[in-house]
């Protein structure tokens, strides 16, 4: 079969909150395809209704994606074009679609991405944290131990760290960020492009305090952005400063345990490590 008779899979980004963010190109393509493969057909039905379109839909989510490949491939081979959409934003970005795109690309099908909303890029564009290099790590594990393990593994990365988070876990995640990444600067982007869009800036502990006084700040959808680790040379200089800080506290009569707790809170890292360092400084006088 020649290329021109083959259908195209369009990967279509849809709004993350504000329907005006749907591109005219996306609206046109959604009206032209034979089929829309949607993460949740009821959700996408609302978008299509808003556009005045009536297009056949098929569900495509993490549980049936692999099983849908052959079916969708056959329709492309028959010359039909298909739009892939998720509930919000860009498909495949913490959303279904990866298996389908990988398999169709392996089969030589034509795949055309339609650029558009994506929560992580939208959040980064207004956060004021470095964007020349960033590390997107999707959703952190749901369980505390797994979450802390992932954060420990990322603690030395110098890029801005970006995570997605739901309102159910935002407080637990901020608490773990306070434990694992200490006094780093965070920017929390909430409800992007919606009525209650908010950017909060501070340490994880400060943001938790803010949520305690204003529980609305814990509602909605979040992108968490965390300043990367200081570059190694800065870190060495900071280590010297850390020793000076610990030594000053000890000279002023602060106990080893409290000095370690202050250092962990201000500079980040585990209390145990700071305790050992403070004890060594004390022993060495
Ligand atoms: N594919 C989407 C994208 O391109 O951004 C992401 C889908 S993922 C299942 C949903 C998560 O994205 C939410 O839990 C939240 O972390 C983030 N998100 C989506 N919309 C958002 C918004 N309007 N404001 C802040 N975060 C949002």
């Amino acid at each position: 079969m020649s290329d021109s008779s083959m259908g195209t899979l369009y990967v279509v980004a849809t709004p993350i909150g504000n329907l005006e963010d749907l591109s005219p190109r996306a609206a046109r393509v959604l009206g032209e395809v034979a089929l829309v493969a949607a993460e949740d057909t009821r959700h996408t039905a609302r978008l299509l209704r808003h556009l005045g379109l009536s297009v056949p839909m098929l569900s495509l989510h993490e549980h049936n994606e692999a099983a849908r490949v052959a079916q969708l491939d056959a329709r492309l081979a028959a010359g039909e074009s298909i739009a892939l959409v998720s509930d919000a934003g860009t498909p495949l970005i913490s959303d279904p679609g990866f298996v389908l795109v990988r398999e169709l690309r392996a089969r030589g099908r034509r795949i055309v991405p339609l650029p558009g909303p994506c929560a992580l890029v939208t959040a980064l564009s207004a956060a004021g944290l470095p964007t020349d290099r960033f590390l997107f790590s999707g959703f952190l594990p749901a369980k505390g131990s797994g979450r802390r393990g992932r954060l420990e593994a990322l603690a030395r990365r110098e890029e801005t760290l970006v995570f997605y988070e739901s309102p159910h876990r935002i407080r637990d995640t901020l608490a773990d960020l306070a434990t694992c990444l200490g006094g780093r600067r965070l920017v929390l982007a909430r409800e992007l492009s919606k009525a209650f869009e908010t950017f909060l800036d501070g340490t994880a502990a400060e943001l938790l305090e803010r949520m305690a006084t204003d529980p609305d700040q814990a509602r909605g959808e979040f992108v968490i952005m965390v300043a990367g680790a200081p570059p190694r040379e800065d870190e060495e200089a900071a280590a010297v400063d850390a020793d000076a800080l610990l030594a000053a506290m000890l000279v002023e009569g602060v106990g080893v345990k409290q000095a370690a707790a202050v250092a962990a809170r201000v500079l980040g890292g585990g209390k145990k490590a700071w305790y050992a360092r403070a004890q060594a400084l004390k022993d060495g006088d």
Side-chain angles (χ1 to χ4, degrees), residues 8-10 12 29-38 41 48 54-60 68 71-73 75-76 80-85:
T8 298
L9 178 79
Y10 293 98
V12 182
V29 164
L30 287 172
E32 286 173 0
V33 292
L35 178 72
V36 175
T41 52
L48 295 178
S54 162
V55 188
M57 281 189 287
L58 183 77
S59 73
L60 184 128
R68 290 281 195 226
Q71 188 181 357
L72 294 176
D73 185 45
R75 295 191 68 160
L76 292 171
E80 291 184 322
S81 287
I82 299 168
L84 171 68
V85 300

Side-chain angles (χ1 to χ4, degrees), residues 139-144 147 164-177 208 211 218 220 222 224:
F139 287 94
L140 285 161
K143 285 203 177 137
R147 194 162 51 226
Y164 280 166
E165 196 48 280
S166 71
H168 317 293
R169 282 199 277 272
I170 188 67
R171 286 190 172 90
D172 288 347
T173 294
L174 286 175
D176 285 341
L177 279 163
L208 275 170
M211 286 179 185
F222 298 91
I224 305 173

Side-chain angles (χ1 to χ4, degrees), residues 60-120:
L60 184 128
H61 45 70
E62 57 174 329
H63 304 295
N64 70 4
E65 185 173 353
R68 290 281 195 226
V69 171
Q71 188 181 357
L72 294 176
D73 185 45
R75 295 191 68 160
L76 292 171
E80 291 184 322
S81 287
I82 299 168
L84 171 68
V85 300
S86 60
D87 286 353
T90 303
L92 279 79
I93 306 301
S94 294
D95 264 344
F98 163 63
V99 174
L100 179 71
V101 169
R102 182 190 62 195
E103 295 301 315
L104 292 180
R105 189 162 285 294
R107 291 164 200 220
R109 298 294 176 213
R110 209 158 85 91
I111 302 173
V112 174
L114 267 61
C118 179
L120 79 102

Side-chain angles (χ1 to χ4, degrees), residues 16 88 165-167 189-192 194 219-223:
I16 56 171
E165 196 48 280
S166 71
R190 184 174 78 95
E191 295 289 87
L192 291 162
K194 302 187 200 177
R219 299 212 169 94
E221 299 189 278
F222 298 91
V223 181

